[in-house]
Amino acid sequence: VEEIKDRIKLLYHQLQAAHRALFQMSGGALFADEVGLGKTIEIGMVLKEMDFRESREDILVLTPAQLAPQWQKELREKFGLEFVCNYDEEFRGFDAHDRIVASVDTAKTAAHRSQVLARDWDVLVLDEAHYVRNGDTVRYELIDQMTYGEAFFATATPIQNGVTDLYN
């Protein structure tokens, strides 16, 4: 917290959510705050703590296409975490970088899917997780087939989903 307190205003509920995700959730959490309450900040704090402890190397953040550059920018500016984005010139594929922010739609394409699935990711972050609630979609299949140690999913619409949607 000391390292990032000058870059962002940390709110109590964000600190609590990040702490619970790290120490009480056994390797995964669904961040389901309302829009604008700081899910990205909460997940950023989790990733920063992992970075501080040097405990996780391979991290994949999957987002809707338009949000990937924003995630990359916020992780860099607010948390001092460097991630390559699949839209960057230096992006060489999902097997060439340890920390990646990418569009979930890019990750699921035939050109990249095998690279994504071949890796054993330490951490998977999925933003707008409600978009993978339908088990009949390629997005769902990708996430379901991935290998990862810990998962942190974010959605602003948990109460609009049924129990099966949340389970998926």
Side-chain angles (χ1 to χ4, degrees), residues 19-158:
H19 186 269
R20 278 193 306 275
L22 278 165
F23 302 111
Q24 298 173 357
M25 303 298 281
S26 301
L30 175 65
F31 292 85
D33 295 328
E34 294 291 329
V35 173
L37 288 183
K39 294 177 294 296
T40 306
I41 299 297
E42 293 165 354
I43 292 172
M45 284 191 284
V46 169
L47 297 178
K48 184 64 179 180
E49 179 66 21
M50 291 175 171
D51 180 71
F52 179 74
R53 292 174 184 232
E54 298 178 350
S55 61
R56 309 300 184 280
E57 296 295 323
D58 301 324
I59 301 172
L60 178 61
V61 178
L62 294 176
T63 73
Q66 69 276 16
L67 297 180
Q70 178 183 329
W71 266 86
Q72 180 191 35
K73 180 181 177 187
E74 287 193 32
L75 289 170
R76 179 186 307 116
E77 291 178 357
K78 294 180 178 175
F79 299 98
L81 299 172
E82 290 298 326
F83 282 75
V84 67
C85 181
N86 68 286
Y87 299 117
D88 293 345
E89 223 174 88
E90 65 268 17
F91 181 72
R92 300 287 179 250
F94 288 88
D95 57 354
H97 309 278
D98 291 336
R99 293 181 174 189
I100 302 170
V101 175
S103 156
V104 67
D105 289 328
T106 297
K108 75 178 186 181
T109 64
H112 297 290
R113 183 184 180 94
S114 61
Q115 290 178 351
V116 172
L117 294 177
R119 299 240 353 224
D120 185 8
W121 299 96
D122 291 325
V123 179
L124 171 64
V125 173
L126 179 63
D127 192 20
E128 303 294 338
H130 52 278
Y131 288 124
V132 295
R133 68 180 177 249
N134 183 347
D136 297 326
T137 64
V138 177
R139 284 179 180 175
Y140 179 92
E141 288 176 12
L142 175 73
I143 304 303
D144 189 49
Q145 294 173 5
M146 287 180 67
T147 304
Y148 50 86
E150 295 175 281
F152 302 102
F153 291 3
T155 181
T157 60

Side-chain angles (χ1 to χ4, degrees), residues 6-25:
D6 294 335
R7 296 182 212 174
I8 56 176
K9 180 180 178 183
L10 298 173
L11 302 176
Y12 179 75
H13 77 275
Q14 294 168 330
L15 290 166
Q16 289 297 105
H19 186 269
R20 278 193 306 275
L22 278 165
F23 302 111
Q24 298 173 357
M25 303 298 281

